[in-house]
PDB file of all heavy atoms in Angstrom:
ATOM      1  N   ILE T1561      24.785  51.199 -45.040  1.00 96.00           N
ATOM      2  CA  ILE T1561      26.101  51.757 -44.722  1.00 96.00           C
ATOM      3  C   ILE T1561      27.139  50.638 -44.599  1.00 96.00           C
ATOM      4  O   ILE T1561      28.274  50.755 -45.091  1.00 96.00           O
ATOM      5  CB  ILE T1561      26.038  52.579 -43.420  1.00 96.00           C
ATOM      6  CG1 ILE T1561      25.210  53.851 -43.623  1.00 96.00           C
ATOM      7  CG2 ILE T1561      27.450  52.932 -42.933  1.00 96.00           C
ATOM      8  CD1 ILE T1561      25.801  54.830 -44.608  1.00 96.00           C
ATOM      9  N   LEU T1562      26.760  49.541 -43.968  1.00 96.00           N
ATOM     10  CA  LEU T1562      27.678  48.404 -43.819  1.00 96.00           C
ATOM     11  C   LEU T1562      28.042  47.812 -45.180  1.00 96.00           C
ATOM     12  O   LEU T1562      29.206  47.463 -45.430  1.00 96.00           O
ATOM     13  CB  LEU T1562      27.046  47.337 -42.924  1.00 96.00           C
ATOM     14  CG  LEU T1562      26.872  47.712 -41.450  1.00 96.00           C
ATOM     15  CD1 LEU T1562      26.100  46.613 -40.709  1.00 96.00           C
ATOM     16  CD2 LEU T1562      28.224  47.942 -40.786  1.00 96.00           C
ATOM     17  N   LEU T1563      27.063  47.696 -46.054  1.00 96.00           N
ATOM     18  CA  LEU T1563      27.332  47.165 -47.391  1.00 96.00           C
ATOM     19  C   LEU T1563      28.232  48.103 -48.190  1.00 96.00           C
ATOM     20  O   LEU T1563      29.138  47.652 -48.906  1.00 96.00           O
ATOM     21  CB  LEU T1563      26.012  46.942 -48.137  1.00 96.00           C
ATOM     22  CG  LEU T1563      25.135  45.797 -47.619  1.00 96.00           C
ATOM     23  CD1 LEU T1563      23.790  45.781 -48.355  1.00 96.00           C
ATOM     24  CD2 LEU T1563      25.834  44.453 -47.789  1.00 96.00           C
ATOM     25  N   MET T1564      28.004  49.400 -48.066  1.00 96.00           N
ATOM     26  CA  MET T1564      28.857  50.358 -48.756  1.00 96.00           C
ATOM     27  C   MET T1564      30.282  50.323 -48.212  1.00 96.00           C
ATOM     28  O   MET T1564      31.254  50.486 -48.951  1.00 96.00           O
ATOM     29  CB  MET T1564      28.268  51.771 -48.653  1.00 96.00           C
ATOM     30  CG  MET T1564      27.051  51.996 -49.538  1.00 96.00           C
ATOM     31  SD  MET T1564      26.489  53.716 -49.527  1.00 96.00           S
ATOM     32  CE  MET T1564      25.551  53.765 -48.017  1.00 96.00           C
ATOM     33  N   GLY T1565      30.398  50.088 -46.896  1.00 96.00           N
ATOM     34  CA  GLY T1565      31.718  49.943 -46.304  1.00 96.00           C
ATOM     35  C   GLY T1565      32.437  48.723 -46.855  1.00 96.00           C
ATOM     36  O   GLY T1565      33.649  48.760 -47.112  1.00 96.00           O
ATOM     37  N   LEU T1566      31.695  47.633 -47.059  1.00 96.00           N
ATOM     38  CA  LEU T1566      32.263  46.420 -47.652  1.00 96.00           C
ATOM     39  C   LEU T1566      32.764  46.701 -49.069  1.00 96.00           C
ATOM     40  O   LEU T1566      33.868  46.268 -49.450  1.00 96.00           O
ATOM     41  CB  LEU T1566      31.209  45.317 -47.665  1.00 96.00           C
ATOM     42  CG  LEU T1566      31.604  43.996 -48.338  1.00 96.00           C
ATOM     43  CD1 LEU T1566      32.804  43.369 -47.633  1.00 96.00           C
ATOM     44  CD2 LEU T1566      30.413  43.031 -48.356  1.00 96.00           C
ATOM     45  N   ILE T1567      31.965  47.429 -49.834  1.00 96.00           N
ATOM     46  CA  ILE T1567      32.378  47.792 -51.201  1.00 96.00           C
ATOM     47  C   ILE T1567      33.650  48.638 -51.159  1.00 96.00           C
ATOM     48  O   ILE T1567      34.579  48.434 -51.943  1.00 96.00           O
ATOM     49  CB  ILE T1567      31.254  48.560 -51.915  1.00 96.00           C
ATOM     50  CG1 ILE T1567      30.033  47.658 -52.112  1.00 96.00           C
ATOM     51  CG2 ILE T1567      31.728  49.098 -53.264  1.00 96.00           C
ATOM     52  CD1 ILE T1567      28.790  48.391 -52.570  1.00 96.00           C
ATOM     53  N   GLY T1568      33.692  49.597 -50.222  1.00 95.00           N
ATOM     54  CA  GLY T1568      34.866  50.444 -50.095  1.00 95.00           C
ATOM     55  C   GLY T1568      36.123  49.647 -49.798  1.00 95.00           C
ATOM     56  O   GLY T1568      37.205  49.937 -50.328  1.00 95.00           O
ATOM     57  N   ASN T1569      35.993  48.623 -48.954  1.00 94.00           N
ATOM     58  CA  ASN T1569      37.138  47.758 -48.645  1.00 94.00           C
ATOM     59  C   ASN T1569      37.625  47.007 -49.881  1.00 94.00           C
ATOM     60  O   ASN T1569      38.827  46.852 -50.099  1.00 94.00           O
ATOM     61  CB  ASN T1569      36.764  46.745 -47.562  1.00 94.00           C
ATOM     62  CG  ASN T1569      36.793  47.358 -46.168  1.00 94.00           C
ATOM     63  OD1 ASN T1569      37.566  48.266 -45.898  1.00 94.00           O
ATOM     64  ND2 ASN T1569      35.939  46.865 -45.274  1.00 94.00           N
ATOM     65  N   ILE T1570      36.679  46.552 -50.697  1.00 91.00           N
ATOM     66  CA  ILE T1570      37.035  45.759 -51.872  1.00 91.00           C
ATOM     67  C   ILE T1570      37.673  46.622 -52.959  1.00 91.00           C
ATOM     68  O   ILE T1570      38.703  46.239 -53.534  1.00 91.00           O
ATOM     69  CB  ILE T1570      35.789  45.035 -52.420  1.00 91.00           C
ATOM     70  CG1 ILE T1570      35.279  44.017 -51.389  1.00 91.00           C
ATOM     71  CG2 ILE T1570      36.116  44.333 -53.737  1.00 91.00           C
ATOM     72  CD1 ILE T1570      33.964  43.377 -51.761  1.00 91.00           C
ATOM     73  N   VAL T1571      37.078  47.777 -53.242  1.00 91.00           N
ATOM     74  CA  VAL T1571      37.597  48.617 -54.337  1.00 91.00           C
ATOM     75  C   VAL T1571      38.707  49.553 -53.877  1.00 91.00           C
ATOM     76  O   VAL T1571      39.370  50.192 -54.691  1.00 91.00           O
ATOM     77  CB  VAL T1571      36.460  49.447 -54.986  1.00 91.00           C
ATOM     78  CG1 VAL T1571      35.360  48.538 -55.490  1.00 91.00           C
ATOM     79  CG2 VAL T1571      35.889  50.483 -54.020  1.00 91.00           C
TER      80      VAL T1571
END
Side-chain angles (χ1 to χ4, degrees):
I1561 292 296
L1562 292 174
L1563 290 174
M1564 286 186 279
L1566 176 61
I1567 295 169
N1569 281 329
I1570 295 173
V1571 303

